Amino acid sequence: MAEAMLTSMYGATKALAVGTEDAPRAEGDWPARFWNANWELTPCMSQDSPPAVMEDADVASAQGAAIEQLNDLWNEFMGIAFSGGVDLYRPARHEVVCALAVRCIRAVYAMVQSPLMWGGEHGAAVLRSLVETEILVTWLHYKNDLELYEKFILYGQGKQKLMRAHVEEAMGESGDSENSKLSDLASFLDSRLGGASAEMFMEVSVHPSFAGGSVNTRSMAEEVGMQDLYSRFFQPLSASVHGEWSALDNYVVDRCVNPLHRFHRIPVQYLTPILGQETLAGAIGGLRRVLDAAKESLSGGANADEP
C-alpha cells in the first residue's frame, strides 16, 4: 500500500508539472514535499514495548549478594591500607592509591543500592570510572615515580584553586541572594586548600593531564599493555557517558514502523531503563581488578622511592 501511494503521488505530481515553470524542479522537490506531508497525514507507529521489570525478590537477592561481596572487599582493603608501611615523609603514593580505591568501592556501593543503575545506560559512568582507575593505578605503579603521585595531588589542588577564583568572580557579579551560597562554597574551598597562605604557592596547570604533555588514559593504557581494555570497554563506555549518538541510538530512540515516515527515529515510549544483573556483575568484577592493582601498588613498600 505504501509503495502504491508513493508511486501514484510521484507520477501525479510530475504529470501536473509538465508544461509549467515548476517542471524543472518538480522531480527534485517532490521527495521532501512527500515525506513532510506524511507527517501531517499519518501518525508515528512504535513497535517497542517496556522492558521486562526485575521481580522484587530478584532485586533483593542480587543486592544482598553484592553487598556481602562489597563488605568483604572493603574489609580486606582497609586491612591492607592500615597494616602496611607508609612513608610519612612523602606519603603521596599511599594517599593517592587508597583514595582512588575507596572512591571505586563507594561508587559500586551506590550502584548496588540503586537498581535503576543496573543497566548499561546509567551504569556506564560507574563502569567507565572503574576501567579508568584500573589503568591509572596500573600506570602509576609501572612508572614507579613518587613525583607522579605528588603531581596528581598538586594538579587536583590547582583545579580547586581555579574554581575558587571562579567563585570569587561570580560573587562580584551576583546579587545578595546568591552571594550567601557562593560565600559558603568559597569558605569550603578555602578550608580544603589550607587558606590563603597555602593557596599562594599552588600552581594551576593548563595541561589536560596531571602527567603533562600528551599523556592521557589511552597513552597510559598503551604503555602498560592494556590497549584491549581501553578499546573494548573504556571507549564504548565513554560514548554513553558523553551522550554520543551510538549510546543514544542504543537506549533512548527507536524506529517508527510507519513506512510513510521513512522509519525515522523517535523517542522510546517508556520511562524505565533496561535493567540487568550483568552490569552489576561487571561492576563487581571491575572493582576487584581495581583493588588488585591498588594492592600491588601498595605492596611496593613505603620506601620504594627512597633516595
Side-chain angles (χ1 to χ4, degrees):
M1 290 176 63
E3 185 177 8
M5 289 179 63
L6 188 152
T7 303
S8 60
M9 291 174 67
Y10 171 74
T13 302
K14 190 171 182 180
L16 289 172
V18 173
T20 70
E21 60 182 12
D22 293 330
R25 65 175 190 274
E27 185 173 350
D29 290 350
W30 178 82
R33 290 160 55 193
F34 170 79
W35 292 115
N36 288 328
N38 288 340
W39 175 260
E40 302 293 336
L41 297 174
T42 60
C44 281
M45 299 167 60
S46 176
Q47 66 175 349
D48 65 354
S49 58
V53 178
M54 291 181 63
E55 298 292 337
D56 291 343
D58 294 333
V59 171
S61 176
Q63 277 184 321
I67 290 175
E68 184 176 346
Q69 294 178 71
L70 280 176
N71 284 332
D72 290 342
L73 292 172
W74 170 265
N75 291 330
E76 180 185 0
F77 185 76
M78 286 296 105
I80 293 173
F82 288 101
S83 64
V86 179
D87 180 359
L88 295 181
Y89 180 63
R90 300 182 72 182
R93 178 199 299 271
H94 188 269
E95 292 174 342
V96 170
V97 173
C98 287
L100 289 171
V102 170
R103 173 176 177 264
C104 288
I105 296 174
R106 289 162 63 91
V108 176
Y109 180 78
M111 183 180 184
V112 171
Q113 297 288 1
S114 308
L116 289 179
M117 294 180 65
W118 296 3
E121 182 178 358
H122 301 296
V126 175
L127 296 178
R128 180 184 184 274
S129 177
L130 294 171
V131 173
E132 184 176 28
T133 303
E134 181 184 355
I135 293 172
L136 174 59
V137 172
T138 303
W139 182 80
L140 285 169
H141 180 60
Y142 171 79
K143 301 299 284 188
N144 195 29
D145 184 352
L146 183 55
E147 187 176 344
L148 283 173
Y149 293 93
E150 295 169 342
K151 283 184 176 180
F152 182 88
I153 294 175
L154 293 174
Y155 182 81
Q157 290 176 332
K159 291 290 187 181
Q160 280 197 317
K161 178 180 178 180
L162 182 61
M163 183 179 178
R164 174 66 177 82
H166 290 322
V167 170
E168 189 172 301
E169 181 181 358
M171 290 173 65
E173 300 173 353
S174 63
D176 293 338
S177 59
E178 288 296 323
N179 255 331
S180 176
K181 298 178 182 178
L182 292 173
S183 178
D184 291 342
L185 177 56
S187 297
F188 170 77
L189 291 173
D190 284 339
S191 68
R192 304 309 300 172
L193 292 171
S197 58
E199 183 179 346
M200 185 185 305
F201 298 99
M202 293 180 183
E203 294 184 358
V204 177
S205 174
V206 297
H207 291 293
S209 165
F210 73 94
S214 58
V215 178
N216 53 29
T217 304
R218 179 174 182 173
S219 63
M220 291 179 184
E222 291 175 348
E223 190 169 359
V224 295
M226 302 176 78
Q227 300 96 321
D228 287 347
L229 183 66
Y230 180 89
S231 300
R232 297 176 185 176
F233 294 96
F234 184 83
Q235 279 190 323
L237 291 169
S238 295
S240 186
V241 170
H242 297 309
E244 295 178 8
W245 180 251
S246 58
L248 299 178
D249 196 24
N250 287 337
Y251 296 116
V252 299
V253 296
D254 199 7
R255 292 285 186 177
C256 170
V257 294
N258 183 347
L260 295 177
H261 281 204
R262 295 189 69 204
F263 304 105
H264 70 128
R265 296 178 180 88
I266 58 176
V268 295
Q269 305 293 298
Y270 52 85
L271 185 61
T272 305
I274 299 175
L275 308 181
Q277 296 188 38
E278 296 81 5
T279 303
L280 183 60
I284 298 292
L287 177 60
R288 290 185 185 278
R289 292 193 299 272
V290 169
L291 296 182
D292 286 343
K295 287 183 286 186
E296 184 175 357
S297 180
L298 294 176
S299 68
N303 303 311
D305 298 279
E306 188 176 17

